[in-house]
Each structure stands twice: as structure tokens, then as C-alpha cells.
């Protein structure tokens, strides 16, 4: 069974950058679509970015041009480079392997952006 562990979150000032990592163990992610989602207090979890097994990417409109999702199948790892961070990016960020309905989630990493 796959396990996903996110890291790289923290406290950063507005305009700063963070790089999140999601390391998978127990199973290869090479053939899976991987995604980053986030959930702010009192809000529903939303898709931030996804990357297919072939490398096609998709982003929520609010992060386009600021965030970049990438993957390193040799390291079984997915990344989220976040630049020009805004206070509204504050949330717990989760990694997902596969679909929302049937996939596997990580435990999440907190990202806090101060103004």
C-alpha cells in the first residue's frame, strides 16, 4: 500500500517562496496522476495542481504563473514550487495519488503566508 509524506511547508512572508515535496513509498507513482490540494480553515479542499503520468499539468486559476508542479519518478517524488506567495495561499497542502474518489492522500503540510 502506498504511503505519501509531504514536507516543505512553513511560515513565509508574502512574496516569498516555498517548495513542497511529496515522497511516495510502497508503490511506484510512475503511472499515476499526482496532485496537490489545499484546505484552508472553514473551506473545502480544492485542487491546486495536477500532473499526469505523461507530464501534462493543470492548475487552479489562482496559482497559474506562480506555482509549478513537477515529478521525479526515479525518486518517487512530486514537487510543488510556490513563488510569489500570498496570504490567501495559507492552507494545509495535501498530496494525492490517483483520483479523489479512490486515491491515496498524504497527511498534509501547513503553509502559512503572513502579510
Amino acid at each position: 500500500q502506498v504511503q505519501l509524506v509531504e514536507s516543505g511547508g512553513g511560515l513565509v512572508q508574502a512574496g516569498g517562496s516555498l517548495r513542497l515535496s511529496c515522497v511516495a513509498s510502497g508503490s511506484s507513482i510512475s503511472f499515476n496522476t499526482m496532485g496537490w490540494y489545499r484546505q484552508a480553515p472553514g473551506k473545502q479542499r480544492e485542487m491546486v495542481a495536477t500532473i499526469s503520468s505523461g507530464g501534462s499539468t493543470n492548475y487552479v486559476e489562482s496559482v497559474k504563473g506562480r506555482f509549478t508542479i513537477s515529478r521525479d519518478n526515479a525518486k518517487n517524488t512530486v514537487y510543488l514550487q510556490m513563488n510569489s506567495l500570498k496570504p490567501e495561499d495559507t492552507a494545509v497542502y495535501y498530496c494525492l495519488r490517483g483520483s479523489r474518489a479512490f486515491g491515496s492522500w498524504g497527511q498534509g503540510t501547513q503553509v502559512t503566508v503572513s502579510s
Side-chain angles (χ1 to χ4, degrees):
Q1 186 172 350
V2 67
Q3 289 188 325
L4 304 174
V5 178
E6 301 97 333
S7 63
L11 174 64
V12 64
Q13 288 188 333
S17 298
L18 286 173
R19 188 196 195 201
L20 306 184
S21 299
C22 170
V23 179
S25 61
S27 178
S28 172
I29 65 168
S30 298
F31 301 106
N32 296 114
T33 291
M34 300 294 296
W36 285 99
Y37 289 71
R38 66 187 179 187
Q39 188 165 18
K43 295 187 177 181
Q44 290 189 335
R45 192 172 297 189
E46 67 168 351
M47 184 276 290
V48 176
T50 62
I51 184 166
S52 70
S53 58
S56 297
T57 58
N58 186 40
Y59 298 91
V60 68
E61 191 64 33
S62 60
V63 309
K64 286 182 179 178
R66 300 189 296 122
F67 291 11
T68 302
I69 188 172
S70 60
R71 64 192 300 160
D72 185 338
N73 290 333
K75 294 183 178 179
N76 231 26
T77 301
V78 178
Y79 304 98
L80 185 67
Q81 178 66 44
M82 305 187 295
N83 299 328
S84 301
L85 282 160
K86 303 176 181 180
E88 50 263 44
D89 295 319
T90 295
V92 178
Y93 283 71
Y94 298 90
C95 180
L96 172 66
R97 173 183 179 256
S99 68
R100 288 191 75 160
F102 303 106
S104 301
W105 294 93
Q107 84 290 347
T109 185
Q110 176 71 47
V111 172
T112 303
V113 184
S114 63
S115 57

